[in-house]
Amino acid sequence: MLRQFMLGKIHRCTVTRANLDYVGSITIDPILMEAVGFLENEKVDVYNITNGSRFATYAISGGRGSGEIGINGAAAHLAKEGDLVIVVSYGWLSAEEIATHSPKIVFVDVNNKIVSLENKEKN
């Protein structure tokens, strides 16, 4: 049996822009994507700490080192520049994978620069 677990999250990042006129997605600085393990076009959930909204979208890469967290398309109605959000990915794991799985958690500062990374491996 497969069960769904958190794979990684960027915790309390700041939305740098919201663009209604874009096709969709969330644009994320590739440094953050790599640190947390998000892939281009991977489904992510976004939890808006500022206003309580939640939505699912897909991640695309922005400018490297930009600190960008851009909310695009219809989701721009649910988050605005300056909002604090959590961006999370989930995946299906087998019992064997669950035994050793540990999600990657990236903590950032107000400019979305990495402050620390948590990834405690289980034995």
Side-chain angles (χ1 to χ4, degrees):
M1 169 177 46
L2 297 177
R3 298 178 75 175
Q4 195 171 30
F5 283 81
M6 180 177 74
L7 299 178
K9 75 173 178 174
I10 306 170
H11 191 71
R12 296 181 66 94
C13 51
T14 303
V15 174
T16 58
R17 66 173 177 77
N19 182 357
L20 278 171
D21 296 321
Y22 192 87
V23 176
S25 72
I26 181 171
T27 305
I28 303 173
D29 181 330
I31 292 172
L32 297 174
M33 288 182 63
E34 291 162 9
V36 77
F38 293 169
L39 299 177
E40 189 85 14
N41 297 307
E42 181 174 4
K43 180 184 177 185
V44 294
D45 288 340
V46 180
Y47 309 132
N48 190 322
I49 297 166
T50 303
N51 69 23
S53 68
R54 295 171 161 238
F55 56 92
T57 189
Y58 59 95
I60 61 172
S61 295
R64 180 169 290 280
S66 66
E68 183 175 13
I69 300 290
I71 309 298
N72 303 312
H77 286 288
L78 303 174
K80 66 181 187 322
E81 186 175 331
D83 283 0
L84 288 178
V85 297
I86 299 169
V87 186
V88 184
S89 69
Y90 296 92
W92 295 95
L93 304 178
S94 67
E96 296 78 22
E97 292 169 316
I98 292 166
T100 59
H101 174 69
S102 179
K104 293 180 180 179
I105 303 172
V106 173
F107 297 92
V108 297
D109 64 15
V110 295
N111 297 308
N112 296 328
K113 303 302 180 195
I114 297 172
V115 173
S116 65
L117 173 64
E118 183 178 306
N119 186 20
K120 298 176 183 165
E121 293 297 323
K122 293 182 184 178
N123 294 325

